[in-house]
Amino acid sequence: MNPLQREYFRQKLLRWRAELQRESTETLQHLKEETLSQPDLTDRASLETDRSLELRTRDRERKLIAKIDAALERIEDGSYGYCEETSEPIGLRRLEARPIATLSLEAQERHERMERTHRDD
């Protein structure tokens, strides 16, 4: 991967991370403003369900931010774009689709087949 490509992915990861952090801030603001003191039990239940779903989404995004940070570290140390299992380059199309990828497409497929095999046991 050449320096221009690394910078492209670094900028893409930074934008993605900033967007997730902005959404997280908006969620926190929204939760602070929202009140659970709805007089109707159905409205309150609906509000609590929405809040729970939003918090689960933010938790997934928090984990995604950690993966983005790890990818940014790999860019800095020069290991970005290489498969953790085989040390072979990860295809640019795969990185474009999933910039946080740590496995080549072939290694990921092997990993998923192994998971399916062991899950069925």
Side-chain angles (χ1 to χ4, degrees):
M1 181 177 296
N2 68 45
L4 189 60
Q5 291 168 327
R6 275 194 303 276
E7 182 60 22
Y8 168 80
F9 285 111
R10 189 175 83 74
Q11 290 300 319
K12 183 174 184 142
L13 288 162
L14 288 172
R15 283 190 304 273
W16 191 12
R17 185 168 161 243
E19 179 183 334
L20 291 171
Q21 289 175 327
R22 180 185 50 76
E23 289 173 2
S24 178
T25 302
E26 289 174 3
T27 296
L28 288 173
Q29 188 62 34
H30 181 251
L31 291 175
K32 286 179 185 177
E33 294 170 356
E34 206 171 66
T35 178
L36 287 177
S37 61
Q38 295 287 331
D40 182 38
L41 289 177
T42 305
D43 289 344
R44 184 183 303 168
S46 177
L47 186 61
E48 287 176 4
T49 301
D50 291 347
R51 183 178 265 190
S52 175
L53 180 62
E54 198 165 345
L55 288 172
R56 274 186 284 166
T57 300
R58 294 301 156 234
D59 186 51
R60 272 188 249 119
E61 289 178 350
R62 180 186 53 80
K63 292 174 184 172
L64 183 55
I65 288 172
K67 290 179 180 183
I68 291 170
D69 289 341
L72 289 167
E73 286 176 24
R74 288 193 307 277
I75 287 173
E76 293 302 315
D77 71 20
S79 63
Y80 182 79
Y82 292 95
C83 179
E84 288 182 345
E85 283 187 8
T86 65
S87 299
E88 294 184 13
I90 298 173
L92 291 177
R93 287 180 34 202
R94 174 155 170 73
L95 289 172
E96 182 65 36
R98 185 143 179 91
I100 59 173
T102 59
L103 299 173
S104 66
L105 187 58
E106 296 80 17
Q108 183 67 39
E109 288 172 346
R110 264 193 318 276
H111 180 73
E112 289 173 5
R113 276 194 304 274
M114 290 296 289
E115 278 185 349
R116 280 194 301 271
T117 303
H118 292 296
R119 185 178 55 216
D120 293 340
D121 290 342

